[in-house]
């Protein structure tokens, strides 16, 4: 009984902690990331929602696991969680970045997730790839991207009730400004890589200026080939001072910057740990120390996906990020 009420309490707290989007909808502050989760994601999603109080799940067509995510969501709803209390994000992949492919791609995502609407649909990366493009892309596999045509279709998805909010991911300030010139619906959310080893302050400021909420992805430095922030000296010092884990400190750092955050784990104990970030603060001095790590670099720089050194159109990582880094 005591255990049940504790779980209920944590769930309620996590549910209550959310950020308001421009649309008036709320995005829960901590979500479950699902990239590289594999088929165990069904259990992770179910556990996260029903035992730990997560209400926000982040996935993407490109992760290839939406059916498994959908099974976890359905099991959670069968156990009594209401759809309206969940916040489900998915993303439009680069091969579907043309006006006529937006709606079929979304419909496929809804079918895989067994949902009749998404809370948030993001442009995953602002680059169009030819179907079946290689990694890295071969000559001619990066195609022209009609940003306006795609955004118009995304806007129609909102009007038709298939998606509650639309947003962007992996944009630069230059691309954001381009989109803002023609957007009738301003992106509600911009999802970007952000952690103390890649603060991405410029993009965060640009979004704040335009009232666009930011979600921090790879908040722990991403997986094994990512950035080992768990053993970073500054992170560890703050963690032991506050008697928290390095992961909790990294997640809390993201929340204190005003971003929602989507740590990924397929381990029950970490799924539990990663949402115990409510009801305590990183003191200002420690927050500043974490915010001044000098070695700033991206983990997900897009090189493998979009750079073709010989044929372009993107010949180096700086091209992908419009030389803004
Ligand atoms: P994260 O920064 O969330 O790190 C995940 C890694 O950390 C995994 O190896 C996980 O292992 C491990 N981990 C999780 N919790 C802990 C903990 N408490 N202590 C120690 N290790 C831990 O990386 P991601 O790159 O997955 O980013 C999170 C999510 O953001 C993605 O899953 C995806 O949903 C989204 N994303 C979006 C992108 C975009 O382009 N829009 C790009 C990249 C990510 P284990 O699972 O074994 O616990």
């Amino acid at each position: 009984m005591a255990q049940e009420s504790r779980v209920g309490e944590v769930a309620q707290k996590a549910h209550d902690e959310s950020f308001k989007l421009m649309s008036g909808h709320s995005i829960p502050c901590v979500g479950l990331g699902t990239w590289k989760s594999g088929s165990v994601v069904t259990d992770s999603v179910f556990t996260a929602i029903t035992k730990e109080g997560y209400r926000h799940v982040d996935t993407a067509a490109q992760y290839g696991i939406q059916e498994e995510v959908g099974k976890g969501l359905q099991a959670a709803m069968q156990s009594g969680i209401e759809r309206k209390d969940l916040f489900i994000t998915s993303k439009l992949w680069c091969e579907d970045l043309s006006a006529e492919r937006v709606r079929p791609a979304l419909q496929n995502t809804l079918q895989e997730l067994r949902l009749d609407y998404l809370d948030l649909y993001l442009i995953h990366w602002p680059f169009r790839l030819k179907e079946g493009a290689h990694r890295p892309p071969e000559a001619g596999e990066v195609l022209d991207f009609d940003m306006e045509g795609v955004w118009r279709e995304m806007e129609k998805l909102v009007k038709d009730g298939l998606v509650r909010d639309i947003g962007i991911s992996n944009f630069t300030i230059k691309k954001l400004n381009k989109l803002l010139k023609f957007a009738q619906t301003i992106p509600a959310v911009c999802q970007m890589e952000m952690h103390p080893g890649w603060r991405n302050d410029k993009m965060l400021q640009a979004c704040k200026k335009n009232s666009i909420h930011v979600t921090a992805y790879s908040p722990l430095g991403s997986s094994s080939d990512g950035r080992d922030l768990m053993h970073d000296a500054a992170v560890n010092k703050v963690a032991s001072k506050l008697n928290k884990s390095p992961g909790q400190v990294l997640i809390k750092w993201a929340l204190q910057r005003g971003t929602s955050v989507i740590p990924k784990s397929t381990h029950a104990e970490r799924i539990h740990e990663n949402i115990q970030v409510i009801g305590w603060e990183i003191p200002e001095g420690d927050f500043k120390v974490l915010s001044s790590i000098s070695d700033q670099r991206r983990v997900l720089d897009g090189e493998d996906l979009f750079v073709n050194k010989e044929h372009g159109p993107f010949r180096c990582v700086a091209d992908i990020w419009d030389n803004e880094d």
Side-chain angles (χ1 to χ4, degrees):
M1 182 64 193
Q3 173 68 7
E4 265 171 35
S5 67
R6 188 198 65 78
V7 168
E9 213 174 284
V10 172
Q12 191 56 45
K13 263 191 185 167
H15 180 54
D16 289 348
E17 293 288 328
S18 58
F19 293 100
K20 243 325 179 243
L21 303 178
M22 222 181 313
S23 58
H25 301 135
S26 294
I27 183 167
C29 64
V30 181
L32 182 73
T34 62
W35 184 37
K36 298 187 183 169
S37 286
S39 57
V40 296
V41 76
T42 300
D43 290 340
S44 321
V45 165
F46 180 75
T47 301
I49 295 173
T50 60
K51 296 209 167 56
E52 304 299 345
Y54 286 66
R55 292 294 177 265
H56 174 181
V57 177
D58 179 85
T59 193
Q62 201 267 337
Y63 302 164
I65 50 163
Q66 290 193 135
E67 287 189 359
E68 290 79 1
V69 171
K71 282 183 199 160
L73 294 174
Q74 195 169 63
M77 287 190 271
Q78 277 164 356
S79 84
I81 304 290
E82 291 190 59
R83 172 66 185 95
K84 69 173 176 56
D85 292 328
L86 295 173
F87 189 100
I88 311 301
T89 302
S90 187
K91 313 184 191 88
L92 177 67
W93 183 237
C94 304
E95 292 174 13
D96 293 316
L97 271 195
S98 61
E100 69 281 5
R101 289 184 75 142
V102 171
R103 187 168 292 240
L106 183 266
Q107 279 163 338
N108 192 47
T109 277
L110 289 177
Q111 196 182 351
E112 288 185 348
L113 290 171
R114 306 176 185 205
L115 297 176
D116 51 19
Y117 71 91
L118 282 184
D119 294 277
L120 180 62
Y121 200 37
L122 304 174
I123 294 180
H124 202 152
W125 287 85
F127 307 103
R128 184 176 165 210
L129 292 174
K130 193 173 170 185
E131 192 151 7
H134 296 83
R135 272 189 202 191
E138 294 180 355
E141 289 185 341
V142 179
L143 307 174
D144 286 342
F145 166 35
D146 169 17
M147 193 193 282
E148 184 169 355
V150 165
W151 195 251
R152 285 280 168 271
E153 289 302 313
M154 305 261 299
E155 288 172 330
K156 283 187 203 156
L157 298 178
V158 178
K159 289 201 181 82
D160 293 345
L162 294 170
V163 164
R164 298 189 97 192
D165 279 293
I166 48 177
I168 55 180
S169 179
N170 298 306
F171 268 50
T172 55
I173 297 173
K174 184 177 171 187
K175 293 188 180 82
L176 171 62
N177 287 337
K178 178 177 170 181
L179 185 136
L180 291 175
K181 286 210 178 86
F182 56 72
Q184 289 162 3
T185 305
I186 304 297
V189 173
C190 174
Q191 192 180 111
M192 301 293 295
E193 176 181 344
M194 283 182 185
H195 44 71
W198 180 248
R199 291 189 301 275
N200 211 342
D201 287 325
K202 283 191 273 184
M203 196 62 198
L204 182 60
Q205 285 318 315
C207 288
K208 280 193 176 163
K209 198 177 104 193
N210 289 289
S211 308
I212 298 170
H213 174 75
V214 174
T215 299
Y217 79 62
S218 303
L220 308 174
S222 204
S223 43
S224 49
D225 48 354
R227 180 93 181 252
D228 187 8
L229 294 172
M230 295 292 174
H231 295 96
D232 179 272
V235 173
N236 275 281
K237 199 169 165 194
V238 176
S240 48
K241 177 176 164 186
L242 301 179
N243 201 19
K244 301 292 174 190
S245 72
Q248 288 170 329
V249 166
L250 291 165
I251 293 163
K252 191 71 191 184
W253 178 84
L255 296 179
Q256 285 185 216
R257 288 178 101 210
T259 65
S260 51
V261 62
I262 45 175
K264 171 262 174 184
S265 181
T266 51
H267 290 98
E269 69 284 3
R270 288 173 172 177
I271 292 172
H272 171 76
E273 176 186 323
N274 293 347
I275 202 163
Q276 308 308 308
V277 287
I278 314 295
W280 57 277
E281 292 285 312
I282 301 173
E284 201 182 329
D286 296 316
F287 181 81
K288 280 192 180 146
V289 170
L290 293 172
S291 305
S292 44
I293 291 176
S294 56
D295 181 13
Q296 292 290 305
R297 57 196 152 85
R298 295 176 189 275
V299 173
L300 284 125
D301 61 14
E303 178 161 11
D304 279 4
L305 283 166
F306 308 112
V307 171
N308 183 319
K309 288 181 182 149
E310 208 183 328
H311 301 284
F314 307 109
R315 290 172 197 272
C316 61
V317 167
D319 286 350
I320 305 242
W321 302 102
D322 295 323
N323 292 293
E324 287 180 7
D325 292 354

